[in-house]
Amino acid sequence: MKRINHLDGLRGVAALMVVFSHTMFMFYPASQLGDPAVSHSRYDLFLSKTIFNIVYNGNFAVCIFFVLSGFVLSNSFFKIKDTRTLVSSSVRRFPRLYLPAAVSIMLAYLLMKFHMFGNLDMSKISLSAWLGGYYNFTPSFGEAFQNTFQSFFTLTYSNYYNVALWTIYYEFTGSFLVFSFLAIFGLVKKRWIIYTILIIIFWNSYYLEFLFGMILSDLRSNHSAFEKYNTTLNKSIILILALVFGSFPYQESTNALSGTFYQHLKFPFLNLLNVDYYLFYHFLAAVLIVLFFLYSKNAQKTFSSLPFIFLGNISFSIYLIHIPVLFSVAPPIFTRLVESVNYSVAFTISFGISFIFLVVCAYAYYRLVDNPGVKFSKYLYKRLFD
């Protein structure tokens, strides 16, 4: 099936949101925690309590990734109703994800081995416990190689070499949740009963995003009556709700929510459902924003333009290597600059340099690692089945 450019563009923006999220954790932890004790500016506390934090709300971005995966992975099946598409996708899924992810882990191992990470020293200046919580162990090639498999099959392993790869477990297992559902129930008329059962089973987990991405794909392909709700007013409401819910603070500490609009979103009935509020609202926002992009012609046109297509192409590469790049490039520049210039100026310069370097490296990674990984997965499928 042809790639859906505007959804690729949305994925690219979500990847940038994750980069910005980790950047704020590095330099301005109060913007994430709402804690005055780690504040470096009057603006970081302000951002933590307003809708503007959506720009760097990384958990919301991850939820967008998962909803998009559920939609895209099921789109071909619902369009042509051919189970052979599932065989192809399932066989190719592991090598397609494993090769780029494994290379990013080995890259992080090499940077650790040659003492290129400066996050521990920088954390003492930025007061970021998050920043100082990683890469404080002795690197081992065997352990790093083991991590390339562990990251796909467990969430409990220690000594993360690429801390962003906690999501690859959900991406991989969530993909096979989609494939399994489609293979068994995809052509069953009353599959909505199974959807409901699975929603109950996976309530308050990231798998809910995959399920709803698949449901959106099913609705769009098989229920034309859904189109009658495609009005300007409905799209406006959907977008506003997505932005409000998507900016719900990731940390549910007293500092993060106290005195904000978001404390009023902790409805008592949600307690009965035993939900993590941030996870519930980010899931809801991710579903709404994907729904908006499915029906907004203006959004589709904008996110199908060349800059967004480029960003979508390198989005997986950005996600995979942004931690090794940020942790190795930004700290040495920042720790030197902050001794002679204002904190905010040191942040702007060090982040600007590291961000440009990240985009260049991500493009190279896309050409040399990610794209060949896609081609290898297709080659492997053809060798096995054709």
Side-chain angles (χ1 to χ4, degrees):
M1 294 289 288
K2 185 179 179 181
R3 294 177 67 95
I4 308 174
N5 287 332
H6 55 276
L7 295 186
D8 280 346
L10 177 59
R11 184 181 286 107
V13 171
L16 289 187
M17 289 167 61
V18 173
V19 173
F20 297 153
S21 173
H22 290 151
T23 299
M24 298 305 280
F25 263 123
M26 290 174 66
F27 291 94
Y28 293 101
S31 68
Q32 297 278 17
L33 306 174
D35 184 359
V38 294
S39 175
H40 297 286
S41 165
R42 59 181 178 177
Y43 299 111
D44 54 5
L45 287 173
F46 168 77
L47 288 173
S48 70
K49 301 176 183 294
T50 68
I51 196 173
F52 296 110
N53 83 72
I54 198 170
V55 175
Y56 60 88
N57 201 310
N59 190 70
F60 170 45
V62 167
C63 290
I64 293 175
F65 289 148
F66 294 159
V67 174
L68 286 174
S69 290
F71 182 91
V72 172
L73 292 174
S74 60
N75 188 52
S76 295
F77 175 83
F78 284 129
K79 290 290 185 183
I80 62 178
K81 307 293 192 302
D82 188 346
T83 55
R84 285 178 296 181
T85 63
L86 301 179
V87 176
S88 172
S89 297
S90 58
V91 169
R92 289 159 45 198
R93 196 61 176 163
F94 180 73
R96 187 270 173 274
L97 294 175
Y98 175 78
L99 292 175
V103 173
S104 75
I105 288 174
M106 300 315 296
L107 171 63
Y109 161 75
L110 290 174
L111 290 172
M112 281 195 73
K113 189 70 175 178
F114 290 99
H115 307 287
M116 298 293 289
F117 286 138
N119 58 297
L120 299 180
D121 291 334
M122 179 180 161
S123 67
K124 300 173 184 177
I125 301 172
S126 68
L127 307 179
S128 173
W130 176 86
L131 182 62
Y134 297 106
Y135 302 123
N136 50 11
F137 56 90
T138 303
S140 162
F141 177 83
E143 185 180 58
F145 182 73
Q146 188 178 15
N147 269 191
T148 65
F149 294 98
Q150 287 175 322
S151 58
F152 282 83
F153 301 106
T154 179
L155 285 170
T156 59
Y157 64 96
S158 59
N159 295 350
Y160 286 75
Y161 281 84
N162 187 349
V163 300
L165 285 185
W166 67 270
T167 61
I168 207 72
Y169 169 83
Y170 289 106
E171 185 65 43
F172 181 64
T173 55
S175 299
F176 280 89
L177 171 64
V178 172
F179 298 148
S180 299
F181 177 91
L182 295 176
I184 301 171
F185 304 109
L187 299 178
V188 175
K189 290 185 178 180
K190 295 185 178 180
R191 58 184 173 276
W192 302 104
I193 298 174
I194 310 301
Y195 279 134
T196 303
I197 294 172
L198 290 177
I199 288 170
I200 295 172
I201 292 174
F202 294 112
W203 184 254
N204 201 39
S205 79
Y206 286 106
Y207 294 114
L208 203 60
E209 281 85 329
F210 291 91
L211 286 172
F212 272 82
M214 187 165 49
I215 289 171
L216 287 178
S217 178
D218 198 345
L219 287 171
R220 185 166 175 80
S221 298
N222 300 308
H223 295 270
S224 57
F226 201 56
E227 291 284 348
K228 69 181 181 180
Y229 301 104
N230 181 19
T231 66
T232 301
L233 177 60
N234 285 343
K235 285 184 289 189
S236 299
I237 293 173
I238 288 172
L239 179 60
I240 292 171
L241 290 177
L243 295 178
V244 171
F245 295 154
S247 63
F248 194 94
Y250 173 59
Q251 301 293 332
E252 293 192 52
S253 66
T254 302
N255 289 327
L257 296 180
S258 179
T260 70
F261 162 79
Y262 302 102
Q263 69 182 2
H264 302 296
L265 293 178
K266 301 182 74 171
F267 299 111
F269 79 90
L270 291 177
N271 290 326
L272 299 177
L273 298 176
N274 191 30
V275 300
D276 293 319
Y277 288 100
Y278 77 89
L279 187 59
F280 172 76
Y281 282 115
H282 291 169
F283 143 71
L284 190 58
V287 172
L288 290 173
I289 200 68
V290 173
L291 181 62
F292 173 78
F293 270 81
L294 292 178
Y295 290 100
S296 173
K297 300 299 182 183
N298 290 331
Q300 291 175 10
K301 182 178 179 181
T302 300
F303 279 66
S304 296
S305 60
L306 288 178
F308 286 98
I309 290 176
F310 171 77
L311 193 59
N313 286 338
I314 67 171
S315 59
F316 190 40
S317 298
I318 287 177
Y319 187 85
L320 288 176
I321 68 170
H322 77 276
I323 289 291
V325 170
L326 289 179
F327 278 32
S328 60
V329 177
I333 300 173
F334 175 78
T335 51
R336 290 188 179 184
L337 284 176
V338 79
E339 296 176 354
S340 55
V341 299
N342 177 274
Y343 189 97
S344 297
V345 174
F347 155 70
T348 302
I349 295 174
S350 56
F351 172 66
I353 294 173
S354 58
F355 182 75
I356 293 172
F357 190 72
L358 170 62
V359 173
V360 173
C361 289
Y363 178 70
Y365 202 86
Y366 163 72
R367 294 294 301 271
L368 299 175
V369 180
D370 185 28
N371 203 33
V374 173
K375 293 179 179 179
F376 175 75
S377 68
K378 292 179 179 178
Y379 168 79
L380 183 64
Y381 170 74
K382 289 182 179 180
R383 292 286 295 178
L384 289 174
F385 289 90
D386 286 355

